[in-house]
Amino acid sequence: MGLFFLKRFATLAATLIGASIVVFLVLEILPGNAAQILMGPDAAPEAVAALATKLGLDQPASVRYWQWISGLLVGDMGDSYAYSTPVVDLVLERLALTIPLALMAMVITTVLALAAGVYAAARHNKLGDVGVMALAQIGIAIPNFWFAILLILLFSVKLQWFSAGGFPGWTEDAGGSPLEALKALLLPAIALAVVQAAILARITRSAVLEVLREDFVRTARAKGLSQRAALWGHVLRNALIPVVTVMGLQFANLLAGTIVVENVFYLPGLGRLIFQSISNRDLIVVRNCVMLLAAMVVIVNFVVDILYAVIDPRVKASDI
């Protein structure tokens, strides 16, 4: 197990280094000058040059990359050009919304997908199976931002059950409460979850059908075990490896998907911060936020790899 963990950790570190280089270089080649945008189009060249020097934009790219990475290693993300505040404070403030939103969407995705996938597999080639797969195909075809607009039109404009946007905060000091905050995140979470649930339901169905054909399932059924007990007690665990793989990738997609959905619902999360920072040419915020999202994706995949060994020891043995 130690060798398995060490190999996965080395892959994690190498991937993060590669991602940091890509993120830095991509933002470096973007047109525009952050100092010029902050000073305005009519600013004197001397003032723009002085601001660029103050921000460190006149230094070589290699020096700026090393300063960025060395700062990340000690938790220093630098200061925002536009907000003149530490980037880490901005990110932590926005993550307090984005992480709960992604987790809520993941819970909805998992519950819907596992229930639908197992139900469809248990009724293979019957009406229930066909109906679930048809709904799943529709769900895959629906863009989450378009579905978000439909949810707003139905539940906010017509029924007036939910607010059309905004976030009241988690505490009374911020003007809200945990219940109001969760209610404000429900529609965005559903908008994020519907496409991912449709994909995961199809994966779950295929994985469960494959395990249902195994000899040990037929033996268990022959000994009198009910279909429900066999499905939930034996089949589902053995079918979890491809399901967990997709779930790990989907959580990463949910984090990235918040960029669009948070702007639709006007939520002050990490996605909206990235969008605003791109508009303001606040590259230091964009760079750190994108790197944070990339790190989350890599770490989630790392956790999924470790879960493989927990779910199925054969994966651990074969990898070592």
Side-chain angles (χ1 to χ4, degrees):
M1 185 64 179
L3 180 58
F4 177 85
F5 181 85
L6 183 61
K7 291 168 64 177
R8 287 294 181 263
F9 185 79
T11 302
L12 167 70
T15 305
L16 287 176
I17 293 172
S20 68
I21 295 174
V22 172
V23 169
F24 184 84
L25 291 178
V26 168
L27 293 179
E28 279 296 303
I29 64 177
L30 289 178
N33 186 312
Q36 182 69 64
I37 292 176
L38 291 173
M39 295 294 292
D42 299 327
E46 296 80 7
V48 174
L51 180 59
T53 301
K54 179 181 178 182
L55 298 176
L57 300 176
D58 60 333
Q59 297 179 352
S62 58
V63 174
R64 285 184 283 117
Y65 173 77
W66 174 248
Q67 290 176 343
W68 174 49
I69 294 300
S70 59
L72 287 180
L73 293 176
V74 297
D76 181 12
M77 295 183 175
D79 294 335
S80 166
Y81 301 155
Y83 297 97
S84 299
T85 57
V87 176
V88 65
D89 293 342
L90 292 173
V91 170
L92 290 176
E93 179 184 355
R94 304 304 180 96
L95 281 179
L97 185 148
T98 299
I99 295 296
L101 174 59
L103 290 174
M104 185 185 294
M106 194 71 242
V107 170
I108 295 173
T109 295
T110 303
V111 172
L112 291 178
L114 292 183
V118 173
Y119 176 86
R123 292 156 179 78
H124 183 47
N125 287 334
K126 295 181 180 179
L127 182 60
D129 181 23
V130 175
V132 169
M133 288 301 99
L135 289 175
Q137 191 61 43
I138 294 173
I140 293 173
I142 296 177
N144 54 21
F145 70 88
W146 183 76
F147 190 64
I149 295 173
L150 292 183
L151 291 176
I152 291 174
L153 290 175
L154 176 60
F155 293 103
S156 300
V157 177
K158 187 173 181 63
L159 299 177
Q160 298 184 354
W161 290 354
F162 296 89
S163 172
F167 185 68
W170 293 103
T171 62
E172 293 183 0
D173 294 338
S177 67
L179 184 60
E180 292 178 356
L182 290 175
K183 183 178 179 181
L185 295 181
L186 183 58
L187 289 186
I190 293 174
L192 283 170
V194 64
V195 176
Q196 305 302 329
I199 297 172
L200 189 60
R202 295 178 67 89
I203 300 296
T204 303
R205 172 184 177 273
S206 299
V208 170
L209 284 175
E210 184 176 349
V211 176
L212 279 173
R213 300 186 183 101
E214 297 290 338
D215 292 337
F216 77 90
V217 178
R218 287 194 290 267
T219 301
R221 295 283 286 129
K223 289 183 177 181
L225 195 67
S226 67
Q227 184 184 36
R228 175 175 295 182
L231 278 172
W232 295 101
H234 299 279
V235 175
L236 185 58
R237 175 169 181 173
N238 287 276
L240 275 181
I241 286 184
V243 174
V244 169
T245 304
V246 177
M247 287 174 64
L249 297 173
Q250 285 186 320
F251 186 71
N253 289 334
L254 289 174
L255 288 171
T258 59
I259 296 177
V260 176
V261 171
E262 284 177 1
N263 280 282
V264 174
F265 286 93
Y266 208 76
L267 297 174
L270 189 65
R272 184 158 182 81
L273 176 63
I274 294 175
F275 180 81
Q276 292 171 334
S277 298
I278 292 174
S279 302
N280 296 330
R281 188 65 184 182
D282 198 349
L283 294 187
I284 191 168
V285 175
V286 178
R287 181 186 301 140
N288 283 290
C289 289
V290 173
M291 188 61 207
L292 178 61
L293 290 175
M296 288 180 177
V297 172
V298 175
I299 291 171
V300 167
N301 289 330
F302 172 75
V303 173
V304 169
D305 286 341
I306 300 302
L307 286 177
Y308 285 169
V310 176
I311 296 171
D312 190 350
R314 294 171 300 176
V315 176
K316 173 181 64 178
S318 63
D319 190 82
I320 293 176

mmCIF file of all heavy atoms in Angstrom, residues 2-27:
data_model
loop_
_atom_site.group_PDB
_atom_site.id
_atom_site.type_symbol
_atom_site.label_atom_id
_atom_site.label_comp_id
_atom_site.label_asym_id
_atom_site.label_seq_id
_atom_site.Cartn_x
_atom_site.Cartn_y
_atom_site.Cartn_z
ATOM 1 N N GLY A 2 2.034 1.176 0.694
ATOM 2 C CA GLY A 2 2.924 2.331 0.734
ATOM 3 C C GLY A 2 3.457 2.690 -0.632
ATOM 4 O O GLY A 2 3.520 3.874 -0.990
ATOM 5 N N LEU A 3 3.843 1.678 -1.417
ATOM 6 C CA LEU A 3 4.343 1.930 -2.767
ATOM 7 C C LEU A 3 3.249 2.501 -3.661
ATOM 8 O O LEU A 3 3.489 3.413 -4.453
ATOM 9 C CB LEU A 3 4.893 0.629 -3.361
ATOM 10 C CG LEU A 3 5.467 0.716 -4.777
ATOM 11 C CD1 LEU A 3 6.597 1.737 -4.830
ATOM 12 C CD2 LEU A 3 5.940 -0.660 -5.244
ATOM 13 N N PHE A 4 2.047 1.965 -3.516
ATOM 14 C CA PHE A 4 0.905 2.461 -4.286
ATOM 15 C C PHE A 4 0.678 3.943 -3.997
ATOM 16 O O PHE A 4 0.526 4.766 -4.912
ATOM 17 C CB PHE A 4 -0.333 1.640 -3.921
ATOM 18 C CG PHE A 4 -1.605 2.085 -4.599
ATOM 19 C CD1 PHE A 4 -1.925 1.642 -5.864
ATOM 20 C CD2 PHE A 4 -2.484 2.950 -3.959
ATOM 21 C CE1 PHE A 4 -3.099 2.039 -6.480
ATOM 22 C CE2 PHE A 4 -3.647 3.361 -4.564
ATOM 23 C CZ PHE A 4 -3.955 2.898 -5.835
ATOM 24 N N PHE A 5 0.668 4.298 -2.700
ATOM 25 C CA PHE A 5 0.452 5.691 -2.307
ATOM 26 C C PHE A 5 1.580 6.583 -2.811
ATOM 27 O O PHE A 5 1.336 7.703 -3.293
ATOM 28 C CB PHE A 5 0.347 5.775 -0.777
ATOM 29 C CG PHE A 5 0.107 7.159 -0.255
ATOM 30 C CD1 PHE A 5 -1.171 7.679 -0.181
ATOM 31 C CD2 PHE A 5 1.169 7.954 0.164
ATOM 32 C CE1 PHE A 5 -1.392 8.961 0.298
ATOM 33 C CE2 PHE A 5 0.957 9.229 0.643
ATOM 34 C CZ PHE A 5 -0.329 9.735 0.711
ATOM 35 N N LEU A 6 2.820 6.121 -2.708
ATOM 36 C CA LEU A 6 3.970 6.912 -3.131
ATOM 37 C C LEU A 6 3.929 7.203 -4.628
ATOM 38 O O LEU A 6 4.193 8.335 -5.059
ATOM 39 C CB LEU A 6 5.266 6.178 -2.771
ATOM 40 C CG LEU A 6 6.576 6.919 -3.078
ATOM 41 C CD1 LEU A 6 6.637 8.221 -2.284
ATOM 42 C CD2 LEU A 6 7.771 6.039 -2.748
ATOM 43 N N LYS A 7 3.588 6.211 -5.421
ATOM 44 C CA LYS A 7 3.495 6.404 -6.870
ATOM 45 C C LYS A 7 2.400 7.403 -7.228
ATOM 46 O O LYS A 7 2.588 8.264 -8.086
ATOM 47 C CB LYS A 7 3.244 5.069 -7.559
ATOM 48 C CG LYS A 7 4.428 4.104 -7.510
ATOM 49 C CD LYS A 7 4.053 2.711 -7.947
ATOM 50 C CE LYS A 7 3.635 2.675 -9.408
ATOM 51 N NZ LYS A 7 3.345 1.292 -9.838
ATOM 52 N N ARG A 8 1.274 7.288 -6.543
ATOM 53 C CA ARG A 8 0.174 8.213 -6.822
ATOM 54 C C ARG A 8 0.535 9.634 -6.389
ATOM 55 O O ARG A 8 0.183 10.610 -7.058
ATOM 56 C CB ARG A 8 -1.096 7.748 -6.104
ATOM 57 C CG ARG A 8 -1.734 6.526 -6.749
ATOM 58 C CD ARG A 8 -2.259 6.881 -8.128
ATOM 59 N NE ARG A 8 -2.896 5.758 -8.772
ATOM 60 C CZ ARG A 8 -2.312 4.948 -9.645
ATOM 61 N NH1 ARG A 8 -1.030 5.146 -9.954
ATOM 62 N NH2 ARG A 8 -2.970 3.967 -10.206
ATOM 63 N N PHE A 9 1.243 9.763 -5.264
ATOM 64 C CA PHE A 9 1.634 11.088 -4.792
ATOM 65 C C PHE A 9 2.650 11.726 -5.734
ATOM 66 O O PHE A 9 2.597 12.938 -5.987
ATOM 67 C CB PHE A 9 2.214 11.000 -3.377
ATOM 68 C CG PHE A 9 2.530 12.330 -2.770
ATOM 69 C CD1 PHE A 9 1.513 13.105 -2.225
ATOM 70 C CD2 PHE A 9 3.823 12.824 -2.752
ATOM 71 C CE1 PHE A 9 1.790 14.343 -1.669
ATOM 72 C CE2 PHE A 9 4.105 14.065 -2.202
ATOM 73 C CZ PHE A 9 3.087 14.822 -1.661
ATOM 74 N N ALA A 10 3.577 10.938 -6.271
ATOM 75 C CA ALA A 10 4.539 11.464 -7.236
ATOM 76 C C ALA A 10 3.824 11.954 -8.494
ATOM 77 O O ALA A 10 4.169 13.007 -9.051
ATOM 78 C CB ALA A 10 5.559 10.391 -7.588
ATOM 79 N N THR A 11 2.823 11.202 -8.935
ATOM 80 C CA THR A 11 2.030 11.629 -10.088
ATOM 81 C C THR A 11 1.285 12.924 -9.786
ATOM 82 O O THR A 11 1.199 13.823 -10.635
ATOM 83 C CB THR A 11 1.031 10.527 -10.474
ATOM 84 O OG1 THR A 11 1.734 9.317 -10.757
ATOM 85 C CG2 THR A 11 0.219 10.928 -11.692
ATOM 86 N N LEU A 12 0.756 13.024 -8.566
ATOM 87 C CA LEU A 12 0.059 14.247 -8.138
ATOM 88 C C LEU A 12 0.985 15.446 -8.208
ATOM 89 O O LEU A 12 0.624 16.493 -8.773
ATOM 90 C CB LEU A 12 -0.462 14.048 -6.715
ATOM 91 C CG LEU A 12 -0.944 15.303 -5.971
ATOM 92 C CD1 LEU A 12 -2.233 15.804 -6.589
ATOM 93 C CD2 LEU A 12 -1.139 15.016 -4.490
ATOM 94 N N ALA A 13 2.198 15.324 -7.652
ATOM 95 C CA ALA A 13 3.143 16.443 -7.637
ATOM 96 C C ALA A 13 3.557 16.842 -9.053
ATOM 97 O O ALA A 13 3.593 18.034 -9.387
ATOM 98 C CB ALA A 13 4.369 16.067 -6.805
ATOM 99 N N ALA A 14 3.843 15.857 -9.911
ATOM 100 C CA ALA A 14 4.258 16.153 -11.282
ATOM 101 C C ALA A 14 3.138 16.833 -12.060
ATOM 102 O O ALA A 14 3.377 17.772 -12.842
ATOM 103 C CB ALA A 14 4.683 14.864 -11.982
ATOM 104 N N THR A 15 1.915 16.395 -11.833
ATOM 105 C CA THR A 15 0.772 17.000 -12.535
ATOM 106 C C THR A 15 0.559 18.441 -12.093
ATOM 107 O O THR A 15 0.269 19.315 -12.920
ATOM 108 C CB THR A 15 -0.497 16.176 -12.267
ATOM 109 O OG1 THR A 15 -0.269 14.814 -12.640
ATOM 110 C CG2 THR A 15 -1.669 16.727 -13.069
ATOM 111 N N LEU A 16 0.710 18.708 -10.799
ATOM 112 C CA LEU A 16 0.541 20.074 -10.311
ATOM 113 C C LEU A 16 1.611 21.001 -10.877
ATOM 114 O O LEU A 16 1.323 22.149 -11.248
ATOM 115 C CB LEU A 16 0.590 20.092 -8.780
ATOM 116 C CG LEU A 16 -0.635 19.537 -8.055
ATOM 117 C CD1 LEU A 16 -0.403 19.528 -6.549
ATOM 118 C CD2 LEU A 16 -1.879 20.339 -8.401
ATOM 119 N N ILE A 17 2.851 20.515 -10.962
ATOM 120 C CA ILE A 17 3.925 21.329 -11.543
ATOM 121 C C ILE A 17 3.632 21.628 -13.012
ATOM 122 O O ILE A 17 3.756 22.773 -13.474
ATOM 123 C CB ILE A 17 5.279 20.613 -11.390
ATOM 124 C CG1 ILE A 17 5.665 20.526 -9.914
ATOM 125 C CG2 ILE A 17 6.366 21.346 -12.174
ATOM 126 C CD1 ILE A 17 6.891 19.679 -9.648
ATOM 127 N N GLY A 18 3.219 20.597 -13.752
ATOM 128 C CA GLY A 18 2.878 20.807 -15.158
ATOM 129 C C GLY A 18 1.720 21.765 -15.337
ATOM 130 O O GLY A 18 1.732 22.634 -16.216
ATOM 131 N N ALA A 19 0.707 21.629 -14.475
ATOM 132 C CA ALA A 19 -0.457 22.520 -14.568
ATOM 133 C C ALA A 19 -0.065 23.957 -14.271
ATOM 134 O O ALA A 19 -0.558 24.895 -14.932
ATOM 135 C CB ALA A 19 -1.538 22.057 -13.595
ATOM 136 N N SER A 20 0.823 24.167 -13.297
ATOM 137 C CA SER A 20 1.239 25.533 -12.961
ATOM 138 C C SER A 20 1.971 26.187 -14.131
ATOM 139 O O SER A 20 1.771 27.379 -14.411
ATOM 140 C CB SER A 20 2.133 25.517 -11.717
ATOM 141 O OG SER A 20 3.384 24.894 -11.987
ATOM 142 N N ILE A 21 2.801 25.405 -14.826
ATOM 143 C CA ILE A 21 3.527 25.948 -15.985
ATOM 144 C C ILE A 21 2.556 26.322 -17.103
ATOM 145 O O ILE A 21 2.657 27.398 -17.708
ATOM 146 C CB ILE A 21 4.572 24.929 -16.484
ATOM 147 C CG1 ILE A 21 5.649 24.717 -15.417
ATOM 148 C CG2 ILE A 21 5.204 25.390 -17.786
ATOM 149 C CD1 ILE A 21 6.632 23.615 -15.759
ATOM 150 N N VAL A 22 1.595 25.444 -17.361
ATOM 151 C CA VAL A 22 0.620 25.713 -18.423
ATOM 152 C C VAL A 22 -0.213 26.942 -18.093
ATOM 153 O O VAL A 22 -0.425 27.825 -18.941
ATOM 154 C CB VAL A 22 -0.279 24.483 -18.640
ATOM 155 C CG1 VAL A 22 -1.428 24.819 -19.592
ATOM 156 C CG2 VAL A 22 0.531 23.321 -19.205
ATOM 157 N N VAL A 23 -0.716 27.022 -16.848
ATOM 158 C CA VAL A 23 -1.548 28.161 -16.438
ATOM 159 C C VAL A 23 -0.769 29.461 -16.572
ATOM 160 O O VAL A 23 -1.281 30.462 -17.100
ATOM 161 C CB VAL A 23 -2.041 27.965 -14.988
ATOM 162 C CG1 VAL A 23 -2.678 29.252 -14.461
ATOM 163 C CG2 VAL A 23 -3.043 26.825 -14.916
ATOM 164 N N PHE A 24 0.471 29.470 -16.115
ATOM 165 C CA PHE A 24 1.282 30.684 -16.174
ATOM 166 C C PHE A 24 1.546 31.103 -17.623
ATOM 167 O O PHE A 24 1.384 32.279 -17.978
ATOM 168 C CB PHE A 24 2.604 30.451 -15.445
ATOM 169 C CG PHE A 24 3.477 31.675 -15.366
ATOM 170 C CD1 PHE A 24 3.295 32.611 -14.369
ATOM 171 C CD2 PHE A 24 4.477 31.894 -16.308
ATOM 172 C CE1 PHE A 24 4.087 33.738 -14.293
ATOM 173 C CE2 PHE A 24 5.279 33.020 -16.248
ATOM 174 C CZ PHE A 24 5.084 33.952 -15.241
ATOM 175 N N LEU A 25 1.935 30.155 -18.474
ATOM 176 C CA LEU A 25 2.271 30.493 -19.861
ATOM 177 C C LEU A 25 1.051 30.952 -20.648
ATOM 178 O O LEU A 25 1.141 31.877 -21.456
ATOM 179 C CB LEU A 25 2.925 29.287 -20.546
ATOM 180 C CG LEU A 25 4.318 28.901 -20.046
ATOM 181 C CD1 LEU A 25 4.832 27.671 -20.782
ATOM 182 C CD2 LEU A 25 5.291 30.062 -20.200
ATOM 183 N N VAL A 26 -0.081 30.296 -20.417
ATOM 184 C CA VAL A 26 -1.300 30.683 -21.152
ATOM 185 C C VAL A 26 -1.688 32.113 -20.822
ATOM 186 O O VAL A 26 -2.039 32.911 -21.717
ATOM 187 C CB VAL A 26 -2.446 29.716 -20.825
ATOM 188 C CG1 VAL A 26 -3.777 30.272 -21.328
ATOM 189 C CG2 VAL A 26 -2.195 28.352 -21.464
ATOM 190 N N LEU A 27 -1.634 32.483 -19.544
ATOM 191 C CA LEU A 27 -1.986 33.848 -19.158
ATOM 192 C C LEU A 27 -0.930 34.857 -19.622
ATOM 193 O O LEU A 27 -1.240 36.025 -19.847
ATOM 194 C CB LEU A 27 -2.172 33.934 -17.645
ATOM 195 C CG LEU A 27 -3.370 33.167 -17.091
ATOM 196 C CD1 LEU A 27 -3.447 33.301 -15.583
ATOM 197 C CD2 LEU A 27 -4.671 33.657 -17.721
#
